[in-house]
Short mmCIF file of all heavy atoms in Angstrom, two decimals:
data_model
loop_
_atom_site.label_atom_id
_atom_site.label_comp_id
_atom_site.label_asym_id
_atom_site.label_seq_id
_atom_site.Cartn_x
_atom_site.Cartn_y
_atom_site.Cartn_z
N THR A 661 9.27 -174.99 -27.90
CA THR A 661 8.99 -175.53 -29.20
C THR A 661 7.68 -174.90 -29.70
O THR A 661 6.71 -174.75 -28.96
CB THR A 661 8.74 -177.06 -29.02
OG1 THR A 661 9.87 -177.65 -28.39
CG2 THR A 661 8.50 -177.69 -30.41
N HIS A 662 7.68 -174.57 -31.02
CA HIS A 662 6.46 -174.11 -31.68
C HIS A 662 5.66 -175.35 -32.02
O HIS A 662 6.13 -176.20 -32.75
CB HIS A 662 6.78 -173.35 -32.90
CG HIS A 662 5.63 -172.79 -33.61
ND1 HIS A 662 5.19 -173.18 -34.83
CD2 HIS A 662 4.75 -171.80 -33.24
CE1 HIS A 662 4.13 -172.57 -35.24
NE2 HIS A 662 3.80 -171.70 -34.27
N THR A 663 4.51 -175.60 -31.43
CA THR A 663 3.77 -176.83 -31.56
C THR A 663 2.65 -176.81 -32.52
O THR A 663 2.19 -177.89 -32.95
CB THR A 663 3.28 -177.29 -30.17
OG1 THR A 663 2.46 -176.29 -29.62
CG2 THR A 663 4.44 -177.57 -29.20
N ASP A 664 2.08 -175.61 -32.80
CA ASP A 664 0.89 -175.63 -33.66
C ASP A 664 0.71 -174.27 -34.23
O ASP A 664 1.04 -173.25 -33.59
CB ASP A 664 -0.37 -176.04 -32.85
CG ASP A 664 -1.53 -176.35 -33.76
OD1 ASP A 664 -1.33 -176.63 -34.99
OD2 ASP A 664 -2.69 -176.37 -33.25
N SER A 665 0.15 -174.19 -35.45
CA SER A 665 -0.26 -172.91 -36.09
C SER A 665 -1.49 -173.21 -36.85
O SER A 665 -1.57 -174.19 -37.62
CB SER A 665 0.86 -172.48 -36.98
OG SER A 665 0.61 -171.25 -37.57
N GLY A 666 -2.46 -172.35 -36.68
CA GLY A 666 -3.74 -172.57 -37.37
C GLY A 666 -4.41 -171.29 -37.76
O GLY A 666 -4.23 -170.25 -37.03
N ASN A 667 -5.12 -171.29 -38.83
CA ASN A 667 -5.81 -170.11 -39.27
C ASN A 667 -7.30 -170.37 -39.32
O ASN A 667 -7.71 -171.49 -39.66
CB ASN A 667 -5.36 -169.73 -40.73
CG ASN A 667 -3.92 -169.29 -40.75
OD1 ASN A 667 -3.48 -168.64 -39.90
ND2 ASN A 667 -3.23 -169.73 -41.79
N ASN A 668 -8.08 -169.36 -38.92
CA ASN A 668 -9.53 -169.43 -39.17
C ASN A 668 -9.89 -168.11 -39.84
O ASN A 668 -9.04 -167.35 -40.22
CB ASN A 668 -10.32 -169.71 -37.89
CG ASN A 668 -10.18 -168.62 -36.84
OD1 ASN A 668 -10.13 -167.45 -37.17
ND2 ASN A 668 -10.13 -169.06 -35.61
N LYS A 669 -11.16 -167.80 -39.99
CA LYS A 669 -11.63 -166.66 -40.76
C LYS A 669 -11.07 -165.38 -40.16
O LYS A 669 -10.77 -164.40 -40.90
CB LYS A 669 -13.15 -166.65 -40.79
CG LYS A 669 -13.71 -165.62 -41.66
CD LYS A 669 -15.21 -165.70 -41.71
CE LYS A 669 -15.83 -164.65 -42.59
NZ LYS A 669 -17.26 -164.79 -42.75
N TYR A 670 -10.96 -165.26 -38.86
CA TYR A 670 -10.61 -163.96 -38.20
C TYR A 670 -9.22 -163.87 -37.60
O TYR A 670 -8.78 -162.77 -37.29
CB TYR A 670 -11.68 -163.63 -37.14
CG TYR A 670 -13.08 -163.53 -37.75
CD1 TYR A 670 -13.94 -164.52 -37.51
CD2 TYR A 670 -13.45 -162.47 -38.53
CE1 TYR A 670 -15.26 -164.43 -38.04
CE2 TYR A 670 -14.65 -162.36 -39.08
CZ TYR A 670 -15.57 -163.33 -38.84
OH TYR A 670 -16.82 -163.25 -39.40
N GLU A 671 -8.59 -165.02 -37.35
CA GLU A 671 -7.31 -164.94 -36.66
C GLU A 671 -6.38 -166.15 -36.96
O GLU A 671 -6.89 -167.18 -37.48
CB GLU A 671 -7.55 -164.87 -35.16
CG GLU A 671 -8.17 -166.10 -34.55
CD GLU A 671 -8.60 -165.94 -33.06
OE1 GLU A 671 -8.44 -164.83 -32.50
OE2 GLU A 671 -9.09 -166.87 -32.59
N THR A 672 -5.19 -165.99 -36.59
CA THR A 672 -4.16 -167.09 -36.63
C THR A 672 -3.87 -167.44 -35.17
O THR A 672 -3.72 -166.53 -34.31
CB THR A 672 -2.85 -166.59 -37.32
OG1 THR A 672 -3.21 -166.24 -38.65
CG2 THR A 672 -1.84 -167.70 -37.35
N VAL A 673 -3.80 -168.69 -34.93
CA VAL A 673 -3.49 -169.16 -33.52
C VAL A 673 -2.13 -169.84 -33.58
O VAL A 673 -1.90 -170.78 -34.39
CB VAL A 673 -4.54 -170.13 -33.00
CG1 VAL A 673 -4.22 -170.59 -31.58
CG2 VAL A 673 -5.95 -169.45 -33.07
N GLU A 674 -1.21 -169.33 -32.77
CA GLU A 674 0.16 -169.90 -32.61
C GLU A 674 0.28 -170.47 -31.24
O GLU A 674 -0.08 -169.85 -30.26
CB GLU A 674 1.19 -168.84 -32.88
CG GLU A 674 1.14 -168.12 -34.23
CD GLU A 674 1.53 -168.99 -35.40
OE1 GLU A 674 2.12 -170.06 -35.16
OE2 GLU A 674 1.24 -168.54 -36.49
N LYS A 675 0.84 -171.74 -31.19
CA LYS A 675 1.01 -172.38 -29.84
C LYS A 675 2.46 -172.78 -29.68
O LYS A 675 3.10 -173.29 -30.64
CB LYS A 675 0.12 -173.62 -29.68
CG LYS A 675 -1.38 -173.20 -29.60
CD LYS A 675 -2.20 -174.38 -29.19
CE LYS A 675 -3.65 -173.92 -29.02
NZ LYS A 675 -4.47 -174.98 -28.53
N TYR A 676 2.91 -172.59 -28.44
CA TYR A 676 4.29 -172.95 -28.06
C TYR A 676 4.19 -173.74 -26.76
O TYR A 676 3.25 -173.54 -26.01
CB TYR A 676 5.10 -171.70 -27.84
CG TYR A 676 5.27 -170.85 -29.06
CD1 TYR A 676 4.32 -169.92 -29.37
CD2 TYR A 676 6.35 -170.99 -29.88
CE1 TYR A 676 4.43 -169.06 -30.55
CE2 TYR A 676 6.53 -170.19 -31.03
CZ TYR A 676 5.49 -169.21 -31.35
OH TYR A 676 5.61 -168.47 -32.42
N GLU A 677 5.18 -174.59 -26.51
CA GLU A 677 5.27 -175.36 -25.30
C GLU A 677 6.71 -175.34 -24.79
O GLU A 677 7.60 -175.30 -25.57
CB GLU A 677 4.79 -176.80 -25.48
CG GLU A 677 3.29 -176.87 -25.75
CD GLU A 677 2.80 -178.34 -25.74
OE1 GLU A 677 3.59 -179.27 -25.51
OE2 GLU A 677 1.61 -178.49 -26.07
N PHE A 678 6.86 -175.42 -23.46
CA PHE A 678 8.15 -175.59 -22.87
C PHE A 678 7.96 -176.37 -21.60
O PHE A 678 6.87 -176.43 -20.98
CB PHE A 678 8.86 -174.22 -22.62
CG PHE A 678 8.16 -173.25 -21.75
CD1 PHE A 678 8.36 -173.18 -20.36
CD2 PHE A 678 7.15 -172.35 -22.27
CE1 PHE A 678 7.70 -172.31 -19.55
CE2 PHE A 678 6.51 -171.52 -21.47
CZ PHE A 678 6.78 -171.43 -20.09
N GLU A 679 9.07 -176.98 -21.12
CA GLU A 679 9.00 -177.80 -19.88
C GLU A 679 9.95 -177.18 -18.81
O GLU A 679 11.08 -176.75 -19.14
CB GLU A 679 9.48 -179.21 -20.24
CG GLU A 679 8.44 -179.90 -21.10
CD GLU A 679 8.91 -181.33 -21.42
OE1 GLU A 679 9.93 -181.83 -20.90
OE2 GLU A 679 8.16 -182.02 -22.20
N ILE A 680 9.47 -177.21 -17.63
CA ILE A 680 10.30 -176.92 -16.44
C ILE A 680 9.99 -178.01 -15.45
O ILE A 680 8.88 -178.18 -15.05
CB ILE A 680 9.91 -175.49 -15.87
CG1 ILE A 680 10.20 -174.37 -16.89
CG2 ILE A 680 10.70 -175.26 -14.53
CD1 ILE A 680 9.82 -173.03 -16.40
N GLY A 681 11.07 -178.75 -15.17
CA GLY A 681 10.89 -179.97 -14.33
C GLY A 681 9.96 -180.95 -15.08
O GLY A 681 10.14 -181.19 -16.24
N GLU A 682 8.97 -181.44 -14.36
CA GLU A 682 8.02 -182.42 -14.99
C GLU A 682 6.84 -181.75 -15.61
O GLU A 682 5.97 -182.39 -16.15
CB GLU A 682 7.63 -183.48 -13.91
CG GLU A 682 8.75 -184.28 -13.44
CD GLU A 682 8.26 -185.33 -12.33
OE1 GLU A 682 7.09 -185.38 -12.07
OE2 GLU A 682 9.17 -185.92 -11.75
N ASP A 683 6.76 -180.42 -15.46
CA ASP A 683 5.59 -179.66 -15.95
C ASP A 683 5.82 -179.08 -17.36
O ASP A 683 6.87 -178.71 -17.74
CB ASP A 683 5.24 -178.52 -15.04
CG ASP A 683 4.84 -178.99 -13.62
OD1 ASP A 683 4.19 -180.03 -13.54
OD2 ASP A 683 5.19 -178.32 -12.66
N THR A 684 4.73 -179.12 -18.17
CA THR A 684 4.69 -178.51 -19.48
C THR A 684 3.79 -177.30 -19.46
O THR A 684 2.69 -177.38 -18.97
CB THR A 684 4.16 -179.56 -20.56
OG1 THR A 684 5.02 -180.70 -20.50
CG2 THR A 684 4.12 -178.91 -21.92
N TYR A 685 4.30 -176.24 -19.99
CA TYR A 685 3.57 -174.99 -20.05
C TYR A 685 3.21 -174.69 -21.49
O TYR A 685 3.99 -175.07 -22.43
CB TYR A 685 4.39 -173.84 -19.52
CG TYR A 685 4.64 -173.95 -18.00
CD1 TYR A 685 5.67 -174.78 -17.50
CD2 TYR A 685 3.80 -173.34 -17.05
CE1 TYR A 685 5.88 -174.91 -16.19
CE2 TYR A 685 4.02 -173.47 -15.72
CZ TYR A 685 5.08 -174.28 -15.29
OH TYR A 685 5.27 -174.38 -13.93
N VAL A 686 2.05 -174.07 -21.73
CA VAL A 686 1.52 -173.77 -23.09
C VAL A 686 1.34 -172.29 -23.18
O VAL A 686 0.85 -171.59 -22.23
CB VAL A 686 0.16 -174.45 -23.27
CG1 VAL A 686 -0.38 -174.14 -24.65
CG2 VAL A 686 0.28 -175.96 -23.06
N VAL A 687 1.86 -171.67 -24.34
CA VAL A 687 1.68 -170.30 -24.61
C VAL A 687 0.83 -170.28 -25.89
O VAL A 687 1.23 -170.89 -26.88
CB VAL A 687 3.00 -169.59 -24.81
CG1 VAL A 687 2.79 -168.10 -25.23
CG2 VAL A 687 3.90 -169.68 -23.61
N THR A 688 -0.25 -169.56 -25.86
CA THR A 688 -1.14 -169.45 -27.02
C THR A 688 -1.29 -167.95 -27.41
O THR A 688 -1.51 -167.11 -26.54
CB THR A 688 -2.55 -170.04 -26.74
OG1 THR A 688 -2.41 -171.36 -26.20
CG2 THR A 688 -3.39 -170.06 -27.99
N MET A 689 -1.09 -167.69 -28.74
CA MET A 689 -1.20 -166.34 -29.24
C MET A 689 -2.27 -166.31 -30.29
O MET A 689 -2.34 -167.19 -31.23
CB MET A 689 0.13 -165.96 -29.92
CG MET A 689 1.30 -165.96 -29.01
SD MET A 689 2.84 -165.63 -29.97
CE MET A 689 4.03 -165.50 -28.72
N PHE A 690 -3.18 -165.38 -30.16
CA PHE A 690 -4.30 -165.22 -31.09
C PHE A 690 -3.95 -163.88 -31.81
O PHE A 690 -4.13 -162.87 -31.27
CB PHE A 690 -5.62 -165.10 -30.34
CG PHE A 690 -5.94 -166.28 -29.48
CD1 PHE A 690 -5.57 -166.30 -28.19
CD2 PHE A 690 -6.57 -167.39 -30.02
CE1 PHE A 690 -5.83 -167.40 -27.30
CE2 PHE A 690 -6.82 -168.47 -29.23
CZ PHE A 690 -6.49 -168.51 -27.87
N VAL A 691 -3.62 -164.02 -33.13
CA VAL A 691 -3.18 -162.88 -33.93
C VAL A 691 -4.21 -162.56 -35.00
O VAL A 691 -4.66 -163.46 -35.70
CB VAL A 691 -1.80 -163.24 -34.64
CG1 VAL A 691 -1.28 -162.02 -35.37
CG2 VAL A 691 -0.79 -163.69 -33.60
N SER A 692 -4.57 -161.27 -35.05
CA SER A 692 -5.55 -160.82 -36.05
C SER A 692 -5.19 -159.42 -36.58
O SER A 692 -4.38 -158.71 -35.93
CB SER A 692 -6.94 -160.87 -35.45
OG SER A 692 -7.05 -160.01 -34.34
N ASP A 693 -5.81 -159.04 -37.69
CA ASP A 693 -5.58 -157.69 -38.26
C ASP A 693 -6.17 -156.65 -37.31
O ASP A 693 -7.15 -156.85 -36.68
CB ASP A 693 -6.26 -157.55 -39.60
CG ASP A 693 -5.57 -158.36 -40.68
OD1 ASP A 693 -4.31 -158.61 -40.53
OD2 ASP A 693 -6.19 -158.72 -41.67
N ILE A 694 -5.49 -155.51 -37.24
CA ILE A 694 -5.96 -154.35 -36.49
C ILE A 694 -7.06 -153.68 -37.32
O ILE A 694 -6.91 -153.49 -38.51
CB ILE A 694 -4.82 -153.37 -36.21
CG1 ILE A 694 -3.77 -153.93 -35.33
CG2 ILE A 694 -5.34 -152.00 -35.72
CD1 ILE A 694 -4.14 -154.00 -33.85
#
Side-chain angles (χ1 to χ4, degrees):
T661 305
H662 183 248
T663 58
D664 193 20
S665 184
N667 295 318
N668 63 38
K669 188 175 180 179
Y670 301 106
E671 65 189 3
T672 299
V673 179
E674 302 289 347
K675 290 192 177 184
Y676 299 84
E677 291 185 6
F678 59 93
E679 294 179 2
I680 297 176
E682 296 178 7
D683 295 325
T684 300
Y685 294 84
V686 180
V687 178
T688 307
M689 300 173 174
F690 303 91
V691 183
S692 60
D693 289 335
I694 294 283

